[in-house]
Amino acid sequence: MGKKQTSRNQLDDDFEIEGNQTYARALGPRGNHQHEVEFIDGSKKLVTLPPKYRNVVWLKRGHYVIVDPSVGVTEKVAGEIVYVLFPKNIKDLKAAGKWPSEFSEPAPAVEKIEKEDDSDDDLFVNNNRPIMSDTESESSEEEDA
Protein backbone atom coordinates (compact mmCIF):
# COMPACT_ATOMS: atom_id res chain seq x y z
CA MET A 1 0.00 0.00 0.00
CA GLY A 2 1.45 3.35 -1.00
CA LYS A 3 1.80 6.49 1.06
CA LYS A 4 -1.12 8.27 -0.64
CA GLN A 5 -3.43 5.31 -0.28
CA THR A 6 -2.48 4.82 3.38
CA SER A 7 -3.15 8.45 4.23
CA ARG A 8 -6.42 8.43 2.28
CA ASN A 9 -7.54 5.27 4.08
CA GLN A 10 -6.55 6.72 7.43
CA LEU A 11 -8.57 9.89 6.86
CA ASP A 12 -11.60 8.60 4.96
CA ASP A 13 -12.33 5.02 6.00
CA ASP A 14 -14.87 4.03 8.59
CA PHE A 15 -13.54 1.49 11.04
CA GLU A 16 -14.80 -1.03 13.53
CA ILE A 17 -13.03 -2.32 16.59
CA GLU A 18 -12.40 -6.03 16.17
CA GLY A 19 -11.78 -8.71 18.77
CA ASN A 20 -9.54 -7.54 21.58
CA GLN A 21 -8.62 -4.12 20.16
CA THR A 22 -8.99 -1.26 22.64
CA TYR A 23 -8.99 2.52 22.75
CA ALA A 24 -5.99 4.29 24.24
CA ARG A 25 -4.68 7.82 24.77
CA ALA A 26 -1.11 8.61 23.66
CA LEU A 27 1.05 9.96 26.48
CA GLY A 28 4.09 10.64 24.31
CA PRO A 29 6.82 9.13 22.17
CA ARG A 30 9.50 7.01 23.81
CA GLY A 31 11.81 6.54 20.82
CA ASN A 32 12.30 3.87 18.17
CA HIS A 33 8.68 4.30 16.96
CA GLN A 34 7.35 3.34 20.37
CA HIS A 35 4.72 5.37 22.17
CA GLU A 36 3.50 5.20 25.74
CA VAL A 37 -0.30 4.96 25.88
CA GLU A 38 -2.89 4.90 28.63
CA PHE A 39 -5.65 2.34 28.21
CA ILE A 40 -9.26 2.70 29.33
CA ASP A 41 -8.52 0.89 32.61
CA GLY A 42 -5.73 3.39 33.42
CA SER A 43 -2.77 1.09 32.75
CA LYS A 44 0.18 2.60 30.89
CA LYS A 45 2.14 0.53 28.37
CA LEU A 46 4.42 0.87 25.36
CA VAL A 47 3.03 0.20 21.88
CA THR A 48 4.66 0.43 18.46
CA LEU A 49 3.64 2.46 15.45
CA PRO A 50 3.68 0.17 12.38
CA PRO A 51 5.91 1.08 9.42
CA LYS A 52 2.97 1.92 7.17
CA TYR A 53 2.03 4.90 9.42
CA ARG A 54 5.51 6.20 10.28
CA ASN A 55 5.81 8.94 7.65
CA VAL A 56 2.08 9.42 7.15
CA VAL A 57 0.64 10.04 10.62
CA TRP A 58 2.27 12.06 13.38
CA LEU A 59 1.14 10.87 16.76
CA LYS A 60 1.32 13.50 19.48
CA ARG A 61 0.64 13.57 23.19
CA GLY A 62 -3.11 13.47 23.82
CA HIS A 63 -4.12 11.82 20.55
CA TYR A 64 -6.35 8.77 20.70
CA VAL A 65 -5.52 5.47 19.03
CA ILE A 66 -6.85 1.95 18.65
CA VAL A 67 -4.37 -0.64 19.89
CA ASP A 68 -4.27 -4.35 19.11
CA PRO A 69 -2.55 -6.05 22.06
CA SER A 70 -2.18 -9.36 20.21
CA VAL A 71 0.11 -7.99 17.45
CA GLY A 72 3.77 -7.09 17.94
CA VAL A 73 3.93 -8.19 21.57
CA THR A 74 7.44 -8.49 23.02
CA GLU A 75 8.96 -8.30 26.46
CA LYS A 76 8.59 -4.50 26.65
CA VAL A 77 5.99 -3.73 23.97
CA ALA A 78 2.35 -4.49 24.74
CA GLY A 79 0.86 -4.18 21.25
CA GLU A 80 0.65 -2.28 18.00
CA ILE A 81 -1.28 0.81 16.98
CA VAL A 82 -3.90 -0.24 14.45
CA TYR A 83 -5.62 3.08 13.85
CA VAL A 84 -5.02 6.72 14.80
CA LEU A 85 -8.23 8.54 15.67
CA PHE A 86 -8.75 12.09 14.42
CA PRO A 87 -11.25 14.58 15.89
CA LYS A 88 -13.72 13.68 13.13
CA ASN A 89 -13.54 10.01 14.12
CA ILE A 90 -13.99 10.81 17.80
CA LYS A 91 -17.00 13.01 17.03
CA ASP A 92 -18.59 10.18 15.02
CA LEU A 93 -17.90 7.66 17.81
CA LYS A 94 -19.48 9.97 20.41
CA ALA A 95 -22.55 10.44 18.19
CA ALA A 96 -22.86 6.65 17.80
CA GLY A 97 -22.43 6.11 21.56
CA LYS A 98 -19.33 3.95 21.11
CA TRP A 99 -16.83 6.34 22.74
CA PRO A 100 -15.67 5.17 26.20
CA SER A 101 -16.82 7.37 29.09
CA GLU A 102 -13.33 7.24 30.63
CA PHE A 103 -12.03 9.41 27.78
CA SER A 104 -15.02 11.77 27.65
CA GLU A 105 -13.51 14.24 30.08
CA PRO A 106 -10.33 16.03 28.98
CA ALA A 107 -6.93 14.59 29.81
CA PRO A 108 -5.89 15.23 33.41
CA ALA A 109 -3.63 18.25 33.54
CA VAL A 110 -0.93 18.83 36.08
CA GLU A 111 -2.53 20.83 38.85
CA LYS A 112 -0.68 23.89 40.04
CA ILE A 113 -0.22 24.29 43.75
CA GLU A 114 -1.53 27.65 44.81
CA LYS A 115 -0.67 29.19 48.13
CA GLU A 116 -3.28 31.12 50.02
CA ASP A 117 -0.86 33.62 51.55
CA ASP A 118 1.56 35.80 49.66
CA SER A 119 4.81 35.27 51.49
CA ASP A 120 8.19 36.50 50.34
CA ASP A 121 9.98 33.50 51.87
CA ASP A 122 10.43 31.85 48.46
CA LEU A 123 12.06 34.90 46.87
CA PHE A 124 15.78 35.05 46.24
CA VAL A 125 17.65 37.13 48.77
CA ASN A 126 20.74 38.99 47.54
CA ASN A 127 23.25 38.91 50.37
CA ASN A 128 25.53 41.41 48.65
CA ARG A 129 23.17 44.32 49.34
CA PRO A 130 22.22 45.67 52.76
CA ILE A 131 18.62 45.10 53.74
CA MET A 132 16.79 48.37 54.10
CA SER A 133 13.43 48.44 55.77
CA ASP A 134 10.70 51.03 55.26
CA THR A 135 11.10 52.48 58.76
CA GLU A 136 14.74 53.44 58.14
CA SER A 137 13.90 55.29 54.93
CA GLU A 138 10.96 57.14 56.57
CA SER A 139 13.10 58.31 59.49
CA SER A 140 15.81 59.63 57.15
CA GLU A 141 13.19 61.57 55.15
CA GLU A 142 11.88 63.17 58.36
CA GLU A 143 15.40 64.25 59.35
CA ASP A 144 15.98 65.87 55.96
CA ALA A 145 12.83 68.01 56.22
Side-chain angles (χ1 to χ4, degrees):
M1 195 179 330
K3 191 174 186 178
K4 285 184 180 180
Q5 186 177 3
T6 303
S7 61
R8 192 174 306 124
N9 289 345
Q10 183 70 29
L11 294 172
D12 297 336
D13 278 352
D14 290 332
F15 59 91
E16 290 293 324
I17 290 186
E18 302 168 359
N20 57 357
Q21 295 177 351
T22 60
Y23 295 106
R25 177 188 300 132
L27 299 177
R30 297 296 177 251
N32 201 19
H33 305 292
Q34 295 177 351
H35 295 269
E36 185 177 12
V37 297
E38 179 182 12
F39 290 98
I40 295 172
D41 60 359
S43 63
K44 297 177 183 178
K45 297 179 182 175
L46 283 178
V47 294
T48 59
L49 187 66
K52 68 179 183 177
Y53 293 135
R54 288 184 184 166
N55 291 325
V56 176
V57 178
W58 279 262
L59 186 61
K60 295 182 182 177
R61 185 179 302 128
H63 284 180
Y64 293 95
V65 295
I66 296 177
V67 176
D68 190 355
S70 62
V71 178
V73 177
T74 63
E75 191 174 301
K76 294 181 181 179
V77 178
E80 186 174 83
I81 296 171
V82 178
Y83 200 86
V84 178
L85 298 173
F86 292 102
K88 174 187 169 246
N89 303 123
I90 294 170
K91 183 179 174 184
D92 293 343
L93 286 169
K94 285 181 180 178
K98 296 180 181 179
W99 189 247
S101 61
E102 291 84 357
F103 291 148
S104 293
E105 63 270 353
V110 177
E111 296 180 16
K112 295 180 181 178
I113 300 172
E114 296 180 14
K115 292 187 177 182
E116 302 258 339
D117 57 350
D118 293 331
S119 64
D120 293 336
D121 296 336
D122 297 338
L123 297 176
F124 173 74
V125 177
N126 187 352
N127 295 329
N128 295 330
R129 301 269 182 179
I131 300 173
M132 299 188 66
S133 63
D134 293 336
T135 57
E136 292 176 9
S137 61
E138 289 176 5
S139 64
S140 62
E141 288 176 7
E142 291 175 0
E143 293 174 6
D144 293 337

